[in-house]
Amino acid sequence: MVRHNNVIPNGHWKKKWQFNVKTWFNQPARKLRRRNARAEKARALFPRPTAGPLRPVVRGQTIRYNSKQKLGRGFSLEELKEAGIPRKLAPTIGIAVDNRRRNRSLESLQENVNRLKAYKSNLVVFPRARNAKKPKAMDASAEECATAGQAKGVLMPISKAQPKLEKVAITSD
């Protein structure tokens, strides 16, 4: 801290400002490189979804945010059990699992179980061995494998149910 009535020193610090200038001429090339990397990653992941595993619908923690829904870390073990999916199998078929999570309400449990069942009904599991004599229980047929596509974007995004407006006739009263 400056003490007493001294002269304020003149700082001569901006003599080599050229060394501190950062240019962004590589921005367009970087954008292209990132886009190519994303496309390459999607190609490597095929036929798995590009956005990663399926995640549950959860609510924010505090009073301020618990009115909002968001995608959580993973499904609870209870939700997987209700949906009839073994917990060791879930990560192998693209379902995120969080074994710390607990279900505090029946509504959210049912919502996530329905989400799992809907995912399971649309799931196409490619057989591990191409020339296996007997296919596994969840394996898809050759026709289903041929027609399978890659899901892009968020997997099963949260759909907000709009409240239905009730129309009432205007009376003379």
Side-chain angles (χ1 to χ4, degrees):
M1 178 121 175
V2 177
R3 302 290 298 265
H4 310 298
N5 190 17
N6 297 331
V7 177
I8 297 171
N10 294 329
H12 305 288
W13 301 315
K14 299 203 167 63
K15 288 180 179 173
K16 296 191 176 174
W17 60 269
Q18 296 94 335
F19 294 120
N20 298 325
V21 172
K22 183 145 175 75
T23 59
W24 284 77
F25 298 129
N26 63 345
Q27 189 180 28
R30 187 177 285 171
K31 180 181 179 180
L32 188 66
R33 190 169 65 219
R34 284 185 183 136
R35 184 175 181 191
N36 291 339
R38 277 194 298 271
E40 190 60 42
K41 186 179 179 184
R43 230 176 278 120
L45 281 174
F46 184 84
R48 293 185 292 272
T50 56
L54 179 71
R55 300 194 181 277
V57 175
V58 297
R59 290 194 173 273
Q61 284 190 316
T62 57
I63 294 170
R64 182 175 180 179
Y65 296 110
N66 68 7
S67 60
K68 290 198 162 80
Q69 289 186 324
K70 60 181 182 175
L71 294 178
R73 180 183 172 84
F75 289 92
S76 69
L77 301 178
E78 191 180 354
E79 289 165 350
L80 291 169
K81 194 173 187 180
E82 287 279 324
I85 300 170
R87 71 185 198 139
K88 297 270 188 181
L89 176 73
T92 66
I93 58 172
I95 298 171
V97 180
D98 185 6
N99 52 16
R100 298 167 299 182
R101 209 169 133 252
R102 297 193 305 275
N103 291 103
R104 293 181 179 84
S105 72
L106 190 65
E107 289 84 8
S108 68
L109 173 78
Q110 286 302 320
E111 186 182 2
N112 283 323
V113 167
N114 292 339
R115 194 172 162 81
L116 281 168
K117 286 180 179 173
Y119 176 76
K120 197 173 167 185
S121 67
N122 293 331
L123 188 66
V124 176
V125 179
F126 281 48
R128 287 203 173 201
R130 298 257 182 246
N131 53 2
K133 305 257 189 289
K134 188 177 163 208
K136 299 266 194 253
M138 288 185 69
D139 285 354
S141 64
E143 302 89 51
E144 286 177 326
C145 291
T147 59
Q150 187 176 31
K152 290 181 174 58
V154 179
L155 200 59
M156 292 177 68
I158 301 169
S159 59
K160 294 181 178 80
Q162 295 291 333
K164 200 162 196 179
L165 293 173
E166 198 176 306
K167 293 181 180 176
V168 180
I170 299 171
T171 58
S172 60
D173 323 335

